[in-house]
Amino acid sequence: MQEPSMLVDCLVGTATSAIAIVVLRRYAIWFGLVDHPSQRKQHIGDVPLVGGIAIFMGVTVGAACYGHFHWFEKALIDTALLLTLLGALDDRFDLSVRDRLAIQVVSVLAVVASTGVYIHTLGRIFGHEVTLGWLGPPLTVIAVIGLVNAFNMMDGIDGLAGSLELVCIAAIALFADPNALSGMLVLLALLAAASLPYLFANLALMGKKVFLGDAGSTLIGYMLAWALIRMSQTPYARLPPVDVLWCVALPVFDTLAVMRRRLQQGASPFKPDRGHIHHILMSAGLGPRATLTALIALATGFAFIGAIISRATSSAGLSLFAFIIIMVAYDVIVTRAWRRQDEARRTQASSLREEAWSSVVASTATKSTALRMQTAEERQRMSFRPVDEAK
């Protein structure tokens, strides 16, 4: 890999993304790509949903400058364009979950059919090579769409999805051999570089705020998922399939915990709510920036735990076992915190209803007493006759 050339390509991607944000922000209202405040979306004012489109433009321009990608990277960029447009349409028209899933499935299968890349092995687990056979393509579809929706669900506070993307890319660089699949690593570097202007704008550090939108969360999840699959399913990449899980541990943990809780309550796993880890931390009293910092540290900690276990044991089975144990512990801890907060909210709401009802009853009783007193006074006046009138 030629580092100076890659650095120039990344700078081009960063500049393109920054320019796109400035331009698209002006026309966001005209295109209808604006996020309005609501009971669930508690931001101030209308915010343009152009961050994802700007990131994709930065990636594609930087990739064009690099110009040395192979067939897989080209197929990935082509299908990423389709899903970015799908996300933009969802931002504009609020598409149904079924329509979005159908197009995402078609995109994943198109990459599988045109490149032959999919999850065909889980690696050596306790001394046995776990091959998937015909289950590989369906599992690939589930894995890609799952990570896409994981980043979509984690895009709940300013800077979170973009910051987790950078953590994931850094974790991939930590686990993978930098000399293998240079094209894929360049594409991830371009994704990180193009995301920086968005993060500055989203955190209100550069101009007016913009949001990532479904276009951006879909793009990030899709490219990261395929990068992990490509690098873990190539023997010379030196990225064991189990290590892939540690690179995206926090989005995977939180998404599985939230979806399990929704299914347990009889709700749709895709129904939005305020039960994610960032909502729980903010309900506990942390501010948005403190919550962002805590979750970045948590995601980084998971990646380092995975790296330590992977290097200490050299056993994919033990690493997978540790991952499952930590995932279960995360689910238990977060679910308990959510239930305590939910019970507190219910108790508070019940108390408010009782206070309101008591106020209504007291007001009604006061009015009834006043009416009885007024009626009694009127009766007394009517029954009293002055002496002159009696004569």
Side-chain angles (χ1 to χ4, degrees):
M1 187 185 305
Q2 297 177 350
E3 287 79 1
S5 175
M6 187 186 71
L7 179 59
V8 172
D9 299 331
C10 289
L11 290 176
V12 170
T14 302
T16 302
S17 178
I19 295 172
I21 287 176
V22 174
V23 174
L24 292 173
R25 190 162 48 194
R26 298 179 180 179
Y27 299 98
I29 297 178
W30 190 81
F31 286 111
L33 295 175
V34 177
D35 199 11
H36 305 285
S38 63
Q39 184 177 2
R40 187 172 65 89
K41 301 178 180 180
Q42 300 177 1
H43 57 267
I44 301 175
D46 297 336
V47 181
L49 295 165
V50 298
I53 301 175
I55 292 174
F56 179 77
M57 294 176 67
V59 171
T60 52
V61 173
C65 292
Y66 179 72
H68 300 295
F69 289 119
H70 297 293
W71 41 271
F72 177 79
E73 288 82 11
K74 293 178 181 179
L76 180 57
I77 293 174
D78 290 341
T79 51
L81 170 61
L82 174 63
L83 291 184
T84 302
L85 293 176
L86 171 68
L89 290 174
D90 186 35
D91 290 329
R92 176 64 179 85
F93 299 106
D94 194 16
L95 303 178
S96 67
V97 174
R98 182 169 55 185
D99 293 339
R100 283 182 286 146
L101 288 178
I103 298 177
Q104 289 171 3
V105 170
V106 170
S107 299
V108 176
L109 292 178
V111 175
V112 173
S114 61
T115 66
V117 176
Y118 60 91
I119 304 174
H120 57 81
T121 178
L122 300 180
R124 293 186 65 83
I125 306 297
F126 295 115
H128 299 280
E129 185 72 23
V130 182
T131 56
L132 299 175
W134 63 270
L135 291 174
L139 181 60
T140 302
V141 172
I142 294 173
V144 175
I145 294 178
L147 196 59
V148 165
N149 287 278
F151 272 91
N152 183 279
M153 292 179 178
M154 292 298 287
D155 186 26
I157 60 174
D158 292 343
L160 182 56
S163 297
L164 290 180
E165 169 214 324
L166 298 182
V167 172
C168 292
I169 293 175
I172 293 172
L174 175 67
F175 281 98
D177 180 2
N179 297 317
L181 294 177
S182 59
M184 200 67 248
L185 291 175
V186 169
L187 196 58
L188 289 177
L190 289 173
L191 177 62
S195 300
L196 292 178
Y198 154 73
L199 279 173
F200 276 94
N202 183 238
L203 294 172
L205 301 176
M206 183 185 74
K208 297 181 180 179
K209 178 177 290 190
V210 299
F211 281 165
L212 192 61
D214 286 340
S217 58
T218 300
L219 172 67
I220 290 173
Y222 185 74
M223 294 191 70
L224 286 177
W226 271 118
L228 292 168
I229 292 172
R230 170 66 169 154
M231 301 181 72
S232 64
Q233 300 302 309
T234 304
Y236 52 82
R238 299 181 185 176
L239 179 60
V242 173
D243 291 345
V244 165
L245 298 173
W246 294 105
C247 296
V248 290
L250 181 57
V252 170
F253 287 169
D254 192 64
T255 300
L256 291 179
V258 169
M259 295 182 74
R260 183 199 61 77
R261 192 162 58 238
R262 291 172 182 172
L263 290 172
Q264 192 176 26
Q265 294 174 335
S268 169
F270 300 101
K271 181 182 179 181
D273 58 21
R274 296 187 64 81
H276 291 280
I277 181 64
H278 47 275
H279 296 133
I280 293 173
L281 291 178
M282 293 181 67
S283 296
L286 290 182
R289 294 296 172 87
T291 299
L292 176 62
T293 303
L295 292 181
I296 292 174
L298 186 60
T300 304
F302 286 146
F304 274 112
I305 290 173
I308 292 172
I309 294 174
S310 178
R311 284 160 174 73
T313 63
S314 298
S315 171
L318 291 177
S319 181
L320 177 61
F321 180 74
F323 183 86
I324 294 174
I325 291 297
I326 294 177
M327 179 176 65
V328 172
Y330 177 93
D331 189 358
V332 171
I333 294 172
V334 171
T335 300
R336 286 182 178 177
W338 176 82
R339 285 177 178 171
R340 285 196 297 267
Q341 292 179 359
D342 186 58
E343 291 176 0
R345 284 191 294 267
R346 292 176 183 273
T347 302
Q348 184 180 9
S350 177
S351 300
L352 292 175
R353 286 195 298 268
E354 291 179 358
E355 291 179 2
W357 176 249
S358 299
S359 299
V360 171
V361 171
S363 177
T364 303
T366 302
K367 291 180 180 179
S368 177
T369 302
L371 181 60
R372 287 196 301 268
M373 291 178 63
Q374 182 179 2
T375 303
E377 291 177 356
E378 290 178 353
R379 288 176 181 173
Q380 185 177 4
R381 285 197 302 269
M382 293 179 64
S383 61
F384 175 73
R385 289 188 175 184
V387 177
D388 294 341
E389 289 184 6
K391 293 180 181 179

